[in-house]
Amino acid sequence: MHLTHIQHTTPSPEEKKDMAYYKRPYSNGNSSAPKRGNPNWNPNYKKSTVVPGSMYRPVSTPSAEQQAIFDAVVDGTGSYIVDSYAGCGKTTACVESMHRVVRKSPRTSQGYLIFAKRNAEEAIGKAPASATIKTAHAFGLQALGAVHGKIQVDKQKTDRIATALVGPDEERAELRFMLGKVIDLSKDYLATTPEEVIAITEKHGFETCDLSESEFADKVLEGMRVSKQQPNVVSFSDMIWLPLVLGIHIPTFDILYADEIQDLNLSRIEIVMRALGKSGRLIGVGDEKQSIFGFSGADRHALAKVKERSGAATLSLHRTYRCGRAIVEYAKQWVPDYEAAATNPEGEVRDVSMQEMMAEDGVQPGDFILSRTNNPTVKVAMALLKQGRRCNIQGRDIGQGLLFMLRRSKAASVAGFQSWLDEWASAEIERLSAKKKSYEHVEDKRACLESFCEGQRDLSQVKARIEDMFDDKDDDTTRVILSSIHKAKGLERDRVYLLESSFTCRPKTEEEVEQEANVRYVGCTRGKNSLLLVG
């Protein structure tokens, strides 16, 4: 079957907001966008000035590590990978380097590819006015727009393609869901063959439903072909993938800064390398010990691959300005050369009981409660709500996944859904066990849904509880914030409760052992003053 046209709807207000973000000017406010179709597309070289109202504060007394980075960027040659531990000021190092480059060589073009949207917005408020600050997705979308003109962001594009592939019937909902997930993942992996798609499907534990592995892979590749034919309407995964597979010119920079190198997937690695061009210099920052997104497609060897391809030398940032000295000492079991700045508070690491955390003088609004898996956060959130205390769980996408399970079951009652859930989980665990794959995520999802069903009379109440619980606001100091460690990466709080009982995974492979250690390290370094280990 060959599909040639998918009907797209008018973008929602939320999608229009996203489109406005991803289509902002190339530079940090002081240079115009290049003309569309220009094969030599590049931001204009203009002498940079600090953005009015900038949050930039010069680093007047740099540490030895910081000074080594500034010297290498400003006066050195070649590329560098900065091994930057948690809270060690990687954004500060990059932004300060940019300003020093501008003061010495104002015509040097500088770009900064940032992993997360919130981090990009923070850097924009501090970086030189002429620097190009973008997430990789926004960067890719700009490249598409330069060639194809007006671009519509359609978050439902992949769902529509999956529907066109297998039909809209309700009994095909599960297959549509699986196809959509694997289509997006296959773009991240730059997959081109059925064998590659089958490997991705197995690695991430997706079902092929009533299709054989080869039939499922063919559907995925057909969906990718259709997506490629529609460059003016893009999904989130298209923003990086389409410029690569369409051979669209990627703007290059004299100096390209890139953060969170350890969390890049194959498509993001390729964007970084193309933005370097033949003569650009890479200043990449990352920490192999913070590589925790292998489950979502990140390449656990990304940092090593980028270092090899760019020929980069290594610098270090191992002195944290975030964590109290006691927390740093605790984290040294995973990163022995971790160091606390002299100005850091002493801080504390201590064991507390669940009862102590839940007491009136225990967890307070603005505190983090972090968990290895999602279900423990649901249970604690339910208990807090019963006490009349405001809280939310990070991860709107997690909530959407749980709601999909309700729809997928076609159950008419809570009891019917629970029966279906048990059957689904048992079948999934059996299937994954036969392939010697981890089924931790299956048990976690079942436990989450059972928690939401507890005490509810009908499914509409279960649905409402899920919708009310999940939110991605992380700057609210009026509520207790609960989160998985993965969702909290890049964030910090004065006081962090870490649910020790949530670390139930028994890693079997070398990769799983490494990921578990990394998750613990990331979790404990979210705390600035207090790390409270909840037994």
Side-chain angles (χ1 to χ4, degrees), residues 251-264:
T252 59
F253 298 89
D254 297 325
I255 301 177
L256 177 70
Y257 305 80
D259 81 342
E260 305 290 5
I261 294 289
Q262 80 282 346
D263 288 328
L264 300 183

Side-chain angles (χ1 to χ4, degrees), residues 27-296:
S27 73
N28 198 9
N30 205 30
S31 65
S32 59
K35 294 181 179 179
R36 289 174 181 162
N38 181 352
N40 298 313
W41 175 37
N42 212 340
N44 293 339
Y45 295 150
K46 288 195 175 184
K47 185 174 182 178
S48 174
T49 57
V50 176
V51 178
S54 171
M55 298 297 292
Y56 168 64
R57 298 293 180 269
V59 179
S60 55
T61 55
S63 67
E65 288 182 326
Q66 290 173 325
Q67 189 61 55
I69 293 169
F70 303 153
D71 291 344
V73 176
V74 178
D75 299 319
T77 59
S79 296
Y80 293 89
I81 295 293
V82 180
D83 185 30
S84 178
Y85 290 167
C88 290
K90 60 184 177 64
T91 301
T92 297
C94 289
V95 168
E96 180 65 22
S97 294
M98 288 180 180
H99 282 282
R100 293 186 179 214
V101 166
V102 166
R103 289 196 289 271
K104 181 176 181 180
S105 306
R107 292 179 62 82
T108 297
S109 62
Q110 299 184 93
Y112 193 179
L113 263 64
I114 296 186
F115 191 80
K117 181 177 173 180
R118 64 171 176 258
N119 299 112
E121 292 174 338
E122 175 190 352
I124 285 172
K126 299 177 180 179
S130 62
T132 300
I133 315 291
K134 291 284 182 184
T135 64
H137 288 85
F139 198 71
L141 190 59
Q142 291 279 14
L144 281 170
V147 174
H148 292 283
K150 185 177 180 181
I151 304 293
Q152 177 185 333
V153 177
D154 181 2
K155 294 182 178 179
Q156 305 302 316
K157 178 182 177 180
T158 304
D159 293 339
R160 300 185 212 287
I161 290 175
T163 299
L165 287 168
V166 298
D169 296 343
E170 185 61 29
E171 59 267 22
R172 307 291 268 179
E174 181 178 356
L175 177 57
R176 290 195 298 272
F177 175 80
M178 298 297 171
L179 281 171
K181 290 294 186 182
V182 179
I183 286 172
D184 285 340
L185 268 174
S186 296
K187 292 174 183 177
D188 291 341
Y189 281 95
L190 301 178
T192 59
T193 67
E195 293 76 19
E196 290 171 334
V197 173
I198 290 170
I200 292 165
T201 305
E202 290 185 349
K203 177 179 179 179
H204 293 278
F206 288 106
E207 303 170 60
T208 62
C209 301
D210 59 346
L211 300 182
S212 67
E213 288 184 337
S214 60
E215 289 172 333
F216 185 86
D218 287 342
K219 293 287 187 185
V220 170
L221 291 172
E222 175 68 4
M224 294 170 71
R225 185 190 67 80
V226 173
S227 190
K228 182 179 177 180
Q229 291 177 336
Q230 301 170 7
N232 291 91
V233 179
V234 300
S235 65
F236 190 67
S237 60
D238 282 338
M239 294 179 189
I240 293 177
W241 179 71
L242 280 176
L244 297 175
V245 297
L246 293 175
I248 290 175
H249 174 74
I250 302 297
T252 59
F253 298 89
D254 297 325
I255 301 177
L256 177 70
Y257 305 80
D259 81 342
E260 305 290 5
I261 294 289
Q262 80 282 346
D263 288 328
L264 300 183
N265 55 37
L266 290 176
S267 62
R268 293 191 195 201
I269 290 174
E270 195 60 34
I271 283 283
V272 168
M273 298 312 300
R274 292 195 189 185
L276 280 180
K278 294 181 179 180
S279 58
R281 300 174 60 203
L282 173 67
I283 309 299
V285 290
D287 178 3
E288 284 186 326
K289 296 295 186 181
Q290 292 191 69
S291 173
I292 62 172
F293 291 108
F295 72 94
S296 63

Side-chain angles (χ1 to χ4, degrees), residues 310-363:
S310 64
T314 302
L315 296 167
S316 63
L317 273 177
H318 293 172
R319 178 180 296 174
T320 180
Y321 298 89
R322 171 196 296 159
C323 302
R325 291 191 289 275
I327 297 173
V328 170
E329 287 301 314
Y330 181 77
K332 282 185 176 181
Q333 58 188 297
W334 300 288
V335 281
D337 51 347
Y338 205 20
E339 179 185 347
T343 55
N344 289 19
E346 177 59 32
E348 63 171 344
V349 179
R350 59 185 174 91
D351 296 322
V352 298
S353 67
M354 183 67 73
Q355 290 75 18
E356 288 176 297
M357 182 184 77
M358 297 298 292
E360 187 175 350
D361 61 350
V363 66

Side-chain angles (χ1 to χ4, degrees), residues 292 372 485-486 503 515-524:
I292 62 172
R372 170 63 179 83
I485 292 170
H486 291 85
F503 288 89
Q515 289 276 298
E516 284 304 301
N518 292 354
V519 169
R520 281 188 173 272
Y521 161 53
V522 170
C524 77

